[in-house]
Amino acid sequence: MTGRFVIHLPISAPDLARAKMLGRTAGRSLAFLARIDLGGITVSTEDNQGVRHWVFCDRRLDGGRRCVLRADHETACTARLPRRIGP
């Protein structure tokens, strides 16, 4: 036993893209909690939960933090989301 427990929170979505979006939204909403591991968030189909899809990039950055961008991003990794300017 590792002493680490994982909470599984089923949220339904109509397709993989929206499931990943909901996973990122939920993760970022709870990121203020020190125990949230954004890099560990995955999604799967309900009837094939052994096949999981990463929601966030899992690369470690300097200082041990993880990249906060989506799993398939093409830009450089970052520890903070870029600020959007304008509408």
Side-chain angles (χ1 to χ4, degrees), residues 18-79:
R18 291 184 195 156
K20 287 182 176 183
M21 185 184 308
L22 282 170
R24 284 191 301 273
T25 301
R28 288 181 180 141
S29 296
L30 296 171
F32 70 93
L33 299 169
R35 299 286 182 189
I36 298 295
D37 180 7
L38 295 180
I41 298 175
T42 59
V43 297
S44 67
T45 58
E46 184 175 18
D47 56 349
N48 194 3
Q49 295 181 31
V51 177
R52 296 177 179 218
H53 303 271
W54 294 107
V55 172
F56 287 99
C57 177
D58 66 344
R59 292 185 193 107
R60 292 258 182 214
L61 304 172
D62 293 338
R65 295 186 68 190
R66 289 186 190 257
C67 176
V68 296
L69 300 177
R70 64 182 181 189
D72 54 353
H73 71 90
E74 295 179 5
T75 58
C77 288
T78 183

Side-chain angles (χ1 to χ4, degrees), residues 4-24:
R4 178 179 164 162
F5 294 86
V6 178
I7 298 170
H8 302 276
L9 177 64
I11 300 174
S12 62
D15 55 48
L16 180 58
R18 291 184 195 156
K20 287 182 176 183
M21 185 184 308
L22 282 170
R24 284 191 301 273

